[in-house]
Amino acid sequence: ETGVTQSPTHLIKTRGQQVTLRCSSQSGHNTVSWYQQALGQGPQFIFQYYREEENGRGNFPPRFSGLQFPNYSSELNVNALELDDSALYLCASSGQRGGATINEQFFGPGTRLTVL
Amino acid sequence: GIQVEQSPPDLILQEGANSTLRCNFSDSVNNLQWFHQNPWGQLINLFYIPSGTKQNGRLSATTVATERYSLLYISSSQTTDSGVYFCAVRDDKIIFGKGTRLHILP
């Protein structure tokens, strides 16, 4: 158990719909990162939130957006879903100092999204 | 950006065997982690090892930052060691390798 929780565990949507995934970080961690893992691939970095601001982003289009709340929990929103968005979505929490992540990341169990 | 390469991509071993997994990275990194992903998708932290050597039971890891590689050693493999092993490094973002898929035969 890492102390990082995600909901829901599974989700089925149709193309064009919107989805919101949720993550609660480990106690004491103020940074949340989101990853997309397609079948047979390594996780790909989507973005990171620190103190409710996005402070790093991977190569994902703007229809992938997020939020971080004062309690450091986070949401990932994906608009206009496409078939290729089907994947395991992972969030990770970690600590921060001076705006840089210096601690190891701890991952939640993931949300498996299927887009039909 | 930094490139992370893991080898071998696939490994099949008999229970009890030892194995070495390698992670090469193309530039200096701030940290490096090894993970084991179980069949349900959970990434389990094995080591946080930006440099040096660490051991935890049958597992150990060594990172030689100046030569840009890290090694994960698994001794006396058990069937429960099966799964995918990832290394991940940090540049301005976290970058994962493609993983090594390990299958331990009983």
Side-chain angles (χ1 to χ4, degrees), chain A residues 36-83:
Chain A
Q36 180 195 65
Q37 187 177 19
L39 199 61
Q41 302 294 317
Q44 298 290 314
F45 175 73
I46 303 175
F47 45 55
Q48 176 175 283
Y49 278 82
Y50 168 63
R51 290 186 174 179
E52 304 177 53
E53 297 283 337
E54 183 182 300
N55 79 336
R57 190 178 183 95
N59 296 325
F60 282 81
R63 59 189 186 84
F64 286 78
S65 63
L67 284 173
Q68 187 180 30
F69 301 99
N71 66 355
Y72 304 129
S73 65
S74 178
E75 288 182 354
L76 164 65
N77 300 291
V78 187
N79 294 322
L81 284 167
E82 301 177 359
L83 297 180

mmCIF file of all heavy atoms in Angstrom, chain A residues 36-83:
data_model
loop_
_atom_site.group_PDB
_atom_site.id
_atom_site.type_symbol
_atom_site.label_atom_id
_atom_site.label_comp_id
_atom_site.label_asym_id
_atom_site.label_seq_id
_atom_site.Cartn_x
_atom_site.Cartn_y
_atom_site.Cartn_z
ATOM 1 N N GLN A 36 -0.082 8.282 -18.368
ATOM 2 C CA GLN A 36 -0.905 7.409 -19.203
ATOM 3 C C GLN A 36 -0.063 6.210 -19.603
ATOM 4 O O GLN A 36 1.065 6.371 -20.085
ATOM 5 C CB GLN A 36 -1.353 8.153 -20.465
ATOM 6 C CG GLN A 36 -2.221 7.328 -21.398
ATOM 7 C CD GLN A 36 -2.354 7.946 -22.783
ATOM 8 O OE1 GLN A 36 -1.390 8.053 -23.525
ATOM 9 N NE2 GLN A 36 -3.562 8.374 -23.135
ATOM 10 N N GLN A 37 -0.590 5.013 -19.388
ATOM 11 C CA GLN A 37 0.135 3.812 -19.775
ATOM 12 C C GLN A 37 -0.712 2.993 -20.744
ATOM 13 O O GLN A 37 -1.699 2.367 -20.349
ATOM 14 C CB GLN A 37 0.512 2.963 -18.560
ATOM 15 C CG GLN A 37 1.404 1.790 -18.924
ATOM 16 C CD GLN A 37 1.840 0.967 -17.727
ATOM 17 O OE1 GLN A 37 1.240 1.017 -16.669
ATOM 18 N NE2 GLN A 37 2.910 0.207 -17.892
ATOM 19 N N ALA A 38 -0.314 3.001 -22.000
ATOM 20 C CA ALA A 38 -0.979 2.170 -22.999
ATOM 21 C C ALA A 38 -0.499 0.738 -22.835
ATOM 22 O O ALA A 38 0.561 0.472 -22.253
ATOM 23 C CB ALA A 38 -0.665 2.691 -24.396
ATOM 24 N N LEU A 39 -1.276 -0.181 -23.366
ATOM 25 C CA LEU A 39 -0.973 -1.601 -23.217
ATOM 26 C C LEU A 39 0.410 -1.930 -23.773
ATOM 27 O O LEU A 39 0.748 -1.563 -24.897
ATOM 28 C CB LEU A 39 -2.048 -2.420 -23.946
ATOM 29 C CG LEU A 39 -2.189 -3.880 -23.549
ATOM 30 C CD1 LEU A 39 -2.567 -3.995 -22.083
ATOM 31 C CD2 LEU A 39 -3.239 -4.573 -24.418
ATOM 32 N N GLY A 40 1.244 -2.565 -22.945
ATOM 33 C CA GLY A 40 2.563 -2.989 -23.403
ATOM 34 C C GLY A 40 3.612 -1.905 -23.429
ATOM 35 O O GLY A 40 4.730 -2.129 -23.893
ATOM 36 N N GLN A 41 3.265 -0.712 -22.933
ATOM 37 C CA GLN A 41 4.202 0.410 -22.947
ATOM 38 C C GLN A 41 4.536 0.844 -21.520
ATOM 39 O O GLN A 41 3.870 0.456 -20.566
ATOM 40 C CB GLN A 41 3.591 1.600 -23.697
ATOM 41 C CG GLN A 41 3.198 1.287 -25.126
ATOM 42 C CD GLN A 41 4.402 0.984 -25.995
ATOM 43 O OE1 GLN A 41 5.426 1.670 -25.928
ATOM 44 N NE2 GLN A 41 4.307 -0.047 -26.812
ATOM 45 N N GLY A 42 5.568 1.676 -21.398
ATOM 46 C CA GLY A 42 5.859 2.295 -20.122
ATOM 47 C C GLY A 42 4.953 3.494 -19.902
ATOM 48 O O GLY A 42 4.398 4.051 -20.856
ATOM 49 N N PRO A 43 4.769 3.909 -18.661
ATOM 50 C CA PRO A 43 3.947 5.101 -18.399
ATOM 51 C C PRO A 43 4.527 6.337 -19.082
ATOM 52 O O PRO A 43 5.744 6.520 -19.113
ATOM 53 C CB PRO A 43 4.006 5.227 -16.873
ATOM 54 C CG PRO A 43 4.331 3.855 -16.379
ATOM 55 C CD PRO A 43 5.233 3.272 -17.430
ATOM 56 N N GLN A 44 3.628 7.175 -19.604
ATOM 57 C CA GLN A 44 4.015 8.435 -20.234
ATOM 58 C C GLN A 44 3.527 9.594 -19.365
ATOM 59 O O GLN A 44 2.352 9.637 -18.993
ATOM 60 C CB GLN A 44 3.383 8.544 -21.624
ATOM 61 C CG GLN A 44 3.821 7.458 -22.592
ATOM 62 C CD GLN A 44 5.260 7.607 -23.016
ATOM 63 O OE1 GLN A 44 5.721 8.693 -23.361
ATOM 64 N NE2 GLN A 44 6.005 6.507 -22.995
ATOM 65 N N PHE A 45 4.427 10.520 -19.080
ATOM 66 C CA PHE A 45 4.122 11.658 -18.222
ATOM 67 C C PHE A 45 3.118 12.585 -18.900
ATOM 68 O O PHE A 45 3.336 13.020 -20.037
ATOM 69 C CB PHE A 45 5.427 12.396 -17.918
ATOM 70 C CG PHE A 45 5.290 13.664 -17.131
ATOM 71 C CD1 PHE A 45 4.997 13.632 -15.786
ATOM 72 C CD2 PHE A 45 5.467 14.899 -17.741
ATOM 73 C CE1 PHE A 45 4.900 14.795 -15.052
ATOM 74 C CE2 PHE A 45 5.368 16.074 -17.021
ATOM 75 C CZ PHE A 45 5.075 16.020 -15.675
ATOM 76 N N ILE A 46 2.021 12.904 -18.188
ATOM 77 C CA ILE A 46 1.022 13.838 -18.713
ATOM 78 C C ILE A 46 1.300 15.235 -18.174
ATOM 79 O O ILE A 46 1.557 16.169 -18.934
ATOM 80 C CB ILE A 46 -0.411 13.399 -18.347
ATOM 81 C CG1 ILE A 46 -0.686 11.994 -18.872
ATOM 82 C CG2 ILE A 46 -1.431 14.398 -18.917
ATOM 83 C CD1 ILE A 46 -2.053 11.439 -18.448
ATOM 84 N N PHE A 47 1.217 15.390 -16.866
ATOM 85 C CA PHE A 47 1.553 16.658 -16.216
ATOM 86 C C PHE A 47 1.713 16.459 -14.721
ATOM 87 O O PHE A 47 1.431 15.394 -14.184
ATOM 88 C CB PHE A 47 0.531 17.773 -16.493
ATOM 89 C CG PHE A 47 -0.913 17.394 -16.384
ATOM 90 C CD1 PHE A 47 -1.435 16.814 -15.238
ATOM 91 C CD2 PHE A 47 -1.774 17.627 -17.453
ATOM 92 C CE1 PHE A 47 -2.760 16.473 -15.138
ATOM 93 C CE2 PHE A 47 -3.107 17.292 -17.368
ATOM 94 C CZ PHE A 47 -3.601 16.709 -16.219
ATOM 95 N N GLN A 48 2.202 17.539 -14.093
ATOM 96 C CA GLN A 48 2.457 17.520 -12.658
ATOM 97 C C GLN A 48 1.856 18.773 -12.037
ATOM 98 O O GLN A 48 1.891 19.843 -12.639
ATOM 99 C CB GLN A 48 3.959 17.487 -12.403
ATOM 100 C CG GLN A 48 4.367 17.549 -10.936
ATOM 101 C CD GLN A 48 5.857 17.381 -10.776
ATOM 102 O OE1 GLN A 48 6.389 16.288 -10.859
ATOM 103 N NE2 GLN A 48 6.541 18.479 -10.543
ATOM 104 N N TYR A 49 1.333 18.647 -10.816
ATOM 105 C CA TYR A 49 0.780 19.774 -10.070
ATOM 106 C C TYR A 49 1.484 19.929 -8.743
ATOM 107 O O TYR A 49 1.716 18.949 -8.022
ATOM 108 C CB TYR A 49 -0.731 19.590 -9.850
ATOM 109 C CG TYR A 49 -1.537 20.024 -11.046
ATOM 110 C CD1 TYR A 49 -1.701 19.178 -12.133
ATOM 111 C CD2 TYR A 49 -2.097 21.289 -11.103
ATOM 112 C CE1 TYR A 49 -2.412 19.587 -13.241
ATOM 113 C CE2 TYR A 49 -2.818 21.705 -12.206
ATOM 114 C CZ TYR A 49 -2.959 20.848 -13.269
ATOM 115 O OH TYR A 49 -3.670 21.254 -14.371
ATOM 116 N N TYR A 50 1.820 21.181 -8.451
ATOM 117 C CA TYR A 50 2.457 21.531 -7.188
ATOM 118 C C TYR A 50 1.785 22.786 -6.676
ATOM 119 O O TYR A 50 1.713 23.779 -7.402
ATOM 120 C CB TYR A 50 3.953 21.755 -7.412
ATOM 121 C CG TYR A 50 4.693 22.388 -6.269
ATOM 122 C CD1 TYR A 50 4.785 21.752 -5.036
ATOM 123 C CD2 TYR A 50 5.319 23.628 -6.416
ATOM 124 C CE1 TYR A 50 5.477 22.331 -3.989
ATOM 125 C CE2 TYR A 50 6.006 24.211 -5.373
ATOM 126 C CZ TYR A 50 6.089 23.555 -4.155
ATOM 127 O OH TYR A 50 6.767 24.127 -3.114
ATOM 128 N N ARG A 51 1.293 22.742 -5.445
ATOM 129 C CA ARG A 51 0.610 23.897 -4.851
ATOM 130 C C ARG A 51 -0.469 24.443 -5.782
ATOM 131 O O ARG A 51 -0.556 25.649 -6.011
ATOM 132 C CB ARG A 51 1.608 24.990 -4.503
ATOM 133 C CG ARG A 51 2.522 24.633 -3.351
ATOM 134 C CD ARG A 51 3.389 25.799 -2.946
ATOM 135 N NE ARG A 51 4.160 25.497 -1.760
ATOM 136 C CZ ARG A 51 5.027 26.341 -1.192
ATOM 137 N NH1 ARG A 51 5.209 27.534 -1.710
ATOM 138 N NH2 ARG A 51 5.687 25.986 -0.123
ATOM 139 N N GLU A 52 -1.256 23.520 -6.316
ATOM 140 C CA GLU A 52 -2.440 23.829 -7.126
ATOM 141 C C GLU A 52 -2.122 24.432 -8.488
ATOM 142 O O GLU A 52 -3.032 24.872 -9.196
ATOM 143 C CB GLU A 52 -3.392 24.755 -6.358
ATOM 144 C CG GLU A 52 -3.821 24.178 -5.008
ATOM 145 C CD GLU A 52 -4.696 25.133 -4.218
ATOM 146 O OE1 GLU A 52 -5.706 25.594 -4.776
ATOM 147 O OE2 GLU A 52 -4.356 25.404 -3.053
ATOM 148 N N GLU A 53 -0.840 24.422 -8.887
ATOM 149 C CA GLU A 53 -0.462 24.944 -10.192
ATOM 150 C C GLU A 53 0.212 23.837 -11.005
ATOM 151 O O GLU A 53 0.993 23.039 -10.461
ATOM 152 C CB GLU A 53 0.515 26.122 -10.044
ATOM 153 C CG GLU A 53 -0.037 27.333 -9.323
ATOM 154 C CD GLU A 53 -0.958 28.157 -10.199
ATOM 155 O OE1 GLU A 53 -0.827 28.067 -11.442
ATOM 156 O OE2 GLU A 53 -1.816 28.873 -9.650
ATOM 157 N N GLU A 54 -0.055 23.843 -12.315
ATOM 158 C CA GLU A 54 0.648 22.912 -13.189
ATOM 159 C C GLU A 54 2.093 23.393 -13.315
ATOM 160 O O GLU A 54 2.340 24.540 -13.699
ATOM 161 C CB GLU A 54 -0.026 22.870 -14.566
ATOM 162 C CG GLU A 54 0.608 21.867 -15.515
ATOM 163 C CD GLU A 54 -0.049 21.868 -16.889
ATOM 164 O OE1 GLU A 54 -1.256 21.609 -16.992
ATOM 165 O OE2 GLU A 54 0.673 22.159 -17.876
ATOM 166 N N ASN A 55 3.060 22.520 -13.036
ATOM 167 C CA ASN A 55 4.465 22.941 -13.141
ATOM 168 C C ASN A 55 5.294 21.961 -13.962
ATOM 169 O O ASN A 55 6.490 21.809 -13.741
ATOM 170 C CB ASN A 55 5.075 23.192 -11.754
ATOM 171 C CG ASN A 55 5.475 21.923 -11.037
ATOM 172 O OD1 ASN A 55 4.949 20.864 -11.324
ATOM 173 N ND2 ASN A 55 6.417 22.028 -10.125
ATOM 174 N N GLY A 56 4.678 21.333 -14.924
ATOM 175 C CA GLY A 56 5.390 20.461 -15.856
ATOM 176 C C GLY A 56 4.366 19.729 -16.689
ATOM 177 O O GLY A 56 3.309 19.339 -16.178
ATOM 178 N N ARG A 57 4.647 19.564 -17.960
ATOM 179 C CA ARG A 57 3.686 18.920 -18.851
ATOM 180 C C ARG A 57 4.421 18.107 -19.910
ATOM 181 O O ARG A 57 5.463 18.530 -20.421
ATOM 182 C CB ARG A 57 2.793 19.958 -19.517
ATOM 183 C CG ARG A 57 1.617 19.370 -20.266
ATOM 184 C CD ARG A 57 0.726 20.454 -20.862
ATOM 185 N NE ARG A 57 -0.430 19.848 -21.518
ATOM 186 C CZ ARG A 57 -1.611 19.672 -20.941
ATOM 187 N NH1 ARG A 57 -1.810 20.073 -19.696
ATOM 188 N NH2 ARG A 57 -2.604 19.109 -21.596
ATOM 189 N N GLY A 58 3.882 16.952 -20.217
ATOM 190 C CA GLY A 58 4.424 16.127 -21.292
ATOM 191 C C GLY A 58 3.756 16.453 -22.612
ATOM 192 O O GLY A 58 3.065 17.469 -22.749
ATOM 193 N N ASN A 59 3.936 15.586 -23.590
ATOM 194 C CA ASN A 59 3.413 15.836 -24.943
ATOM 195 C C ASN A 59 1.965 15.373 -25.081
ATOM 196 O O ASN A 59 1.667 14.443 -25.819
ATOM 197 C CB ASN A 59 4.297 15.138 -25.970
ATOM 198 C CG ASN A 59 5.696 15.708 -25.993
ATOM 199 O OD1 ASN A 59 5.884 16.905 -25.789
ATOM 200 N ND2 ASN A 59 6.681 14.852 -26.228
ATOM 201 N N PHE A 60 1.100 16.018 -24.372
ATOM 202 C CA PHE A 60 -0.330 15.708 -24.446
ATOM 203 C C PHE A 60 -1.094 16.963 -24.834
ATOM 204 O O PHE A 60 -0.738 18.067 -24.420
ATOM 205 C CB PHE A 60 -0.831 15.167 -23.090
ATOM 206 C CG PHE A 60 -0.462 13.734 -22.863
ATOM 207 C CD1 PHE A 60 0.794 13.390 -22.411
ATOM 208 C CD2 PHE A 60 -1.382 12.724 -23.127
ATOM 209 C CE1 PHE A 60 1.141 12.064 -22.219
ATOM 210 C CE2 PHE A 60 -1.051 11.390 -22.936
ATOM 211 C CZ PHE A 60 0.219 11.066 -22.481
ATOM 212 N N PRO A 61 -2.173 16.800 -25.620
ATOM 213 C CA PRO A 61 -2.926 17.973 -26.101
ATOM 214 C C PRO A 61 -3.696 18.644 -24.972
ATOM 215 O O PRO A 61 -3.890 18.055 -23.903
ATOM 216 C CB PRO A 61 -3.881 17.355 -27.136
ATOM 217 C CG PRO A 61 -4.021 15.933 -26.724
ATOM 218 C CD PRO A 61 -2.698 15.538 -26.142
ATOM 219 N N PRO A 62 -4.171 19.862 -25.226
ATOM 220 C CA PRO A 62 -4.873 20.640 -24.186
ATOM 221 C C PRO A 62 -6.163 19.997 -23.697
ATOM 222 O O PRO A 62 -6.645 20.364 -22.613
ATOM 223 C CB PRO A 62 -5.167 21.973 -24.886
ATOM 224 C CG PRO A 62 -4.151 22.067 -25.967
ATOM 225 C CD PRO A 62 -3.897 20.658 -26.418
ATOM 226 N N ARG A 63 -6.715 19.026 -24.440
ATOM 227 C CA ARG A 63 -7.948 18.405 -23.937
ATOM 228 C C ARG A 63 -7.671 17.544 -22.693
ATOM 229 O O ARG A 63 -8.600 17.077 -22.052
ATOM 230 C CB ARG A 63 -8.627 17.596 -25.048
ATOM 231 C CG ARG A 63 -7.792 16.492 -25.644
ATOM 232 C CD ARG A 63 -8.480 15.894 -26.887
ATOM 233 N NE ARG A 63 -7.710 14.741 -27.349
ATOM 234 C CZ ARG A 63 -7.856 13.531 -26.846
ATOM 235 N NH1 ARG A 63 -8.750 13.314 -25.902
ATOM 236 N NH2 ARG A 63 -7.115 12.534 -27.302
ATOM 237 N N PHE A 64 -6.387 17.340 -22.389
ATOM 238 C CA PHE A 64 -5.999 16.742 -21.113
ATOM 239 C C PHE A 64 -5.718 17.901 -20.152
ATOM 240 O O PHE A 64 -4.794 18.709 -20.391
ATOM 241 C CB PHE A 64 -4.745 15.887 -21.254
ATOM 242 C CG PHE A 64 -4.958 14.576 -21.927
ATOM 243 C CD1 PHE A 64 -5.084 14.497 -23.304
ATOM 244 C CD2 PHE A 64 -5.019 13.401 -21.193
ATOM 245 C CE1 PHE A 64 -5.290 13.277 -23.940
ATOM 246 C CE2 PHE A 64 -5.210 12.168 -21.817
ATOM 247 C CZ PHE A 64 -5.349 12.109 -23.190
ATOM 248 N N SER A 65 -6.516 18.004 -19.113
ATOM 249 C CA SER A 65 -6.325 19.087 -18.152
ATOM 250 C C SER A 65 -6.454 18.528 -16.739
ATOM 251 O O SER A 65 -6.935 17.404 -16.547
ATOM 252 C CB SER A 65 -7.348 20.199 -18.375
ATOM 253 O OG SER A 65 -8.663 19.710 -18.156
ATOM 254 N N GLY A 66 -6.035 19.336 -15.782
ATOM 255 C CA GLY A 66 -6.066 18.853 -14.415
ATOM 256 C C GLY A 66 -6.335 19.937 -13.409
ATOM 257 O O GLY A 66 -6.416 21.130 -13.740
ATOM 258 N N LEU A 67 -6.496 19.490 -12.187
ATOM 259 C CA LEU A 67 -6.673 20.390 -11.055
ATOM 260 C C LEU A 67 -5.979 19.775 -9.858
ATOM 261 O O LEU A 67 -5.917 18.545 -9.732
ATOM 262 C CB LEU A 67 -8.160 20.553 -10.709
ATOM 263 C CG LEU A 67 -9.046 21.426 -11.580
ATOM 264 C CD1 LEU A 67 -10.496 21.278 -11.135
ATOM 265 C CD2 LEU A 67 -8.601 22.875 -11.502
ATOM 266 N N GLN A 68 -5.485 20.640 -8.966
ATOM 267 C CA GLN A 68 -5.061 20.167 -7.664
ATOM 268 C C GLN A 68 -5.763 21.018 -6.622
ATOM 269 O O GLN A 68 -5.893 22.232 -6.785
ATOM 270 C CB GLN A 68 -3.548 20.263 -7.486
ATOM 271 C CG GLN A 68 -3.067 19.614 -6.187
ATOM 272 C CD GLN A 68 -1.571 19.697 -5.995
ATOM 273 O OE1 GLN A 68 -0.937 20.639 -6.453
ATOM 274 N NE2 GLN A 68 -1.003 18.721 -5.301
ATOM 275 N N PHE A 69 -6.209 20.386 -5.567
ATOM 276 C CA PHE A 69 -6.994 21.060 -4.542
ATOM 277 C C PHE A 69 -6.118 21.378 -3.328
ATOM 278 O O PHE A 69 -5.016 20.833 -3.197
ATOM 279 C CB PHE A 69 -8.189 20.186 -4.161
ATOM 280 C CG PHE A 69 -9.085 19.890 -5.327
ATOM 281 C CD1 PHE A 69 -8.995 18.687 -6.002
ATOM 282 C CD2 PHE A 69 -9.999 20.829 -5.780
ATOM 283 C CE1 PHE A 69 -9.799 18.414 -7.110
ATOM 284 C CE2 PHE A 69 -10.815 20.572 -6.864
ATOM 285 C CZ PHE A 69 -10.705 19.368 -7.540
ATOM 286 N N PRO A 70 -6.616 22.245 -2.434
ATOM 287 C CA PRO A 70 -5.803 22.621 -1.261
ATOM 288 C C PRO A 70 -5.345 21.438 -0.413
ATOM 289 O O PRO A 70 -4.322 21.537 0.267
ATOM 290 C CB PRO A 70 -6.739 23.548 -0.476
ATOM 291 C CG PRO A 70 -7.615 24.163 -1.514
ATOM 292 C CD PRO A 70 -7.843 23.072 -2.527
ATOM 293 N N ASN A 71 -6.082 20.341 -0.434
ATOM 294 C CA ASN A 71 -5.647 19.167 0.340
ATOM 295 C C ASN A 71 -4.697 18.286 -0.478
ATOM 296 O O ASN A 71 -4.373 17.171 -0.067
ATOM 297 C CB ASN A 71 -6.852 18.347 0.805
ATOM 298 C CG ASN A 71 -7.617 17.720 -0.353
ATOM 299 O OD1 ASN A 71 -7.306 17.961 -1.533
ATOM 300 N ND2 ASN A 71 -8.609 16.916 -0.030
ATOM 301 N N TYR A 72 -4.258 18.780 -1.632
ATOM 302 C CA TYR A 72 -3.291 18.152 -2.542
ATOM 303 C C TYR A 72 -3.880 17.014 -3.357
ATOM 304 O O TYR A 72 -3.155 16.422 -4.167
ATOM 305 C CB TYR A 72 -2.017 17.694 -1.815
ATOM 306 C CG TYR A 72 -1.337 18.801 -1.057
ATOM 307 C CD1 TYR A 72 -0.988 18.648 0.283
ATOM 308 C CD2 TYR A 72 -1.066 20.021 -1.677
ATOM 309 C CE1 TYR A 72 -0.370 19.678 0.981
ATOM 310 C CE2 TYR A 72 -0.456 21.055 -0.980
ATOM 311 C CZ TYR A 72 -0.107 20.877 0.346
ATOM 312 O OH TYR A 72 0.497 21.892 1.027
ATOM 313 N N SER A 73 -5.153 16.697 -3.192
ATOM 314 C CA SER A 73 -5.757 15.722 -4.099
ATOM 315 C C SER A 73 -5.846 16.348 -5.488
ATOM 316 O O SER A 73 -5.665 17.566 -5.654
ATOM 317 C CB SER A 73 -7.137 15.303 -3.605
ATOM 318 O OG SER A 73 -8.030 16.406 -3.641
ATOM 319 N N SER A 74 -6.123 15.512 -6.481
ATOM 320 C CA SER A 74 -6.044 16.004 -7.852
ATOM 321 C C SER A 74 -7.077 15.332 -8.734
ATOM 322 O O SER A 74 -7.581 14.243 -8.422
ATOM 323 C CB SER A 74 -4.641 15.739 -8.400
ATOM 324 O OG SER A 74 -4.511 16.154 -9.748
ATOM 325 N N GLU A 75 -7.406 16.001 -9.819
ATOM 326 C CA GLU A 75 -8.260 15.451 -10.864
ATOM 327 C C GLU A 75 -7.553 15.531 -12.201
ATOM 328 O O GLU A 75 -6.808 16.494 -12.462
ATOM 329 C CB GLU A 75 -9.573 16.241 -10.967
ATOM 330 C CG GLU A 75 -10.542 16.030 -9.842
ATOM 331 C CD GLU A 75 -11.834 16.802 -10.052
ATOM 332 O OE1 GLU A 75 -11.914 17.597 -11.027
ATOM 333 O OE2 GLU A 75 -12.744 16.626 -9.240
ATOM 334 N N LEU A 76 -7.825 14.532 -13.037
ATOM 335 C CA LEU A 76 -7.418 14.560 -14.439
ATOM 336 C C LEU A 76 -8.695 14.573 -15.262
ATOM 337 O O LEU A 76 -9.557 13.704 -15.064
ATOM 338 C CB LEU A 76 -6.580 13.327 -14.776
ATOM 339 C CG LEU A 76 -6.385 13.004 -16.256
ATOM 340 C CD1 LEU A 76 -5.583 14.100 -16.960
ATOM 341 C CD2 LEU A 76 -5.680 11.654 -16.419
ATOM 342 N N ASN A 77 -8.838 15.543 -16.133
ATOM 343 C CA ASN A 77 -9.988 15.641 -17.014
ATOM 344 C C ASN A 77 -9.540 15.437 -18.453
ATOM 345 O O ASN A 77 -8.527 15.993 -18.880
ATOM 346 C CB ASN A 77 -10.644 17.028 -16.891
ATOM 347 C CG ASN A 77 -11.130 17.300 -15.490
ATOM 348 O OD1 ASN A 77 -12.073 16.692 -15.018
ATOM 349 N ND2 ASN A 77 -10.458 18.211 -14.794
ATOM 350 N N VAL A 78 -10.286 14.637 -19.169
ATOM 351 C CA VAL A 78 -10.018 14.435 -20.586
ATOM 352 C C VAL A 78 -11.301 14.721 -21.353
ATOM 353 O O VAL A 78 -12.340 14.092 -21.093
ATOM 354 C CB VAL A 78 -9.533 13.012 -20.897
ATOM 355 C CG1 VAL A 78 -9.105 12.911 -22.369
ATOM 356 C CG2 VAL A 78 -8.380 12.614 -19.984
ATOM 357 N N ASN A 79 -11.243 15.692 -22.252
ATOM 358 C CA ASN A 79 -12.393 16.043 -23.081
ATOM 359 C C ASN A 79 -12.305 15.362 -24.448
ATOM 360 O O ASN A 79 -11.221 14.951 -24.876
ATOM 361 C CB ASN A 79 -12.438 17.562 -23.289
ATOM 362 C CG ASN A 79 -12.696 18.305 -22.001
ATOM 363 O OD1 ASN A 79 -13.482 17.856 -21.167
ATOM 364 N ND2 ASN A 79 -12.034 19.431 -21.829
ATOM 365 N N ALA A 80 -13.451 15.284 -25.102
ATOM 366 C CA ALA A 80 -13.508 14.768 -26.479
ATOM 367 C C ALA A 80 -12.711 13.476 -26.616
ATOM 368 O O ALA A 80 -11.767 13.384 -27.405
ATOM 369 C CB ALA A 80 -12.989 15.835 -27.443
ATOM 370 N N LEU A 81 -13.092 12.482 -25.827
ATOM 371 C CA LEU A 81 -12.347 11.230 -25.785
ATOM 372 C C LEU A 81 -12.179 10.603 -27.167
ATOM 373 O O LEU A 81 -13.106 10.612 -27.994
ATOM 374 C CB LEU A 81 -13.052 10.246 -24.857
ATOM 375 C CG LEU A 81 -12.865 10.504 -23.352
ATOM 376 C CD1 LEU A 81 -13.867 9.672 -22.556
ATOM 377 C CD2 LEU A 81 -11.445 10.212 -22.932
ATOM 378 N N GLU A 82 -10.993 10.049 -27.376
ATOM 379 C CA GLU A 82 -10.674 9.320 -28.603
ATOM 380 C C GLU A 82 -10.374 7.866 -28.242
ATOM 381 O O GLU A 82 -10.045 7.560 -27.093
ATOM 382 C CB GLU A 82 -9.470 9.967 -29.290
ATOM 383 C CG GLU A 82 -9.694 11.424 -29.652
ATOM 384 C CD GLU A 82 -8.459 12.072 -30.256
ATOM 385 O OE1 GLU A 82 -7.420 11.384 -30.373
ATOM 386 O OE2 GLU A 82 -8.537 13.276 -30.600
ATOM 387 N N LEU A 83 -10.468 7.000 -29.250
ATOM 388 C CA LEU A 83 -10.229 5.576 -28.996
ATOM 389 C C LEU A 83 -8.836 5.348 -28.397
ATOM 390 O O LEU A 83 -8.661 4.495 -27.519
ATOM 391 C CB LEU A 83 -10.380 4.778 -30.290
ATOM 392 C CG LEU A 83 -11.758 4.797 -30.928
ATOM 393 C CD1 LEU A 83 -11.757 3.962 -32.217
ATOM 394 C CD2 LEU A 83 -12.837 4.288 -29.974
#
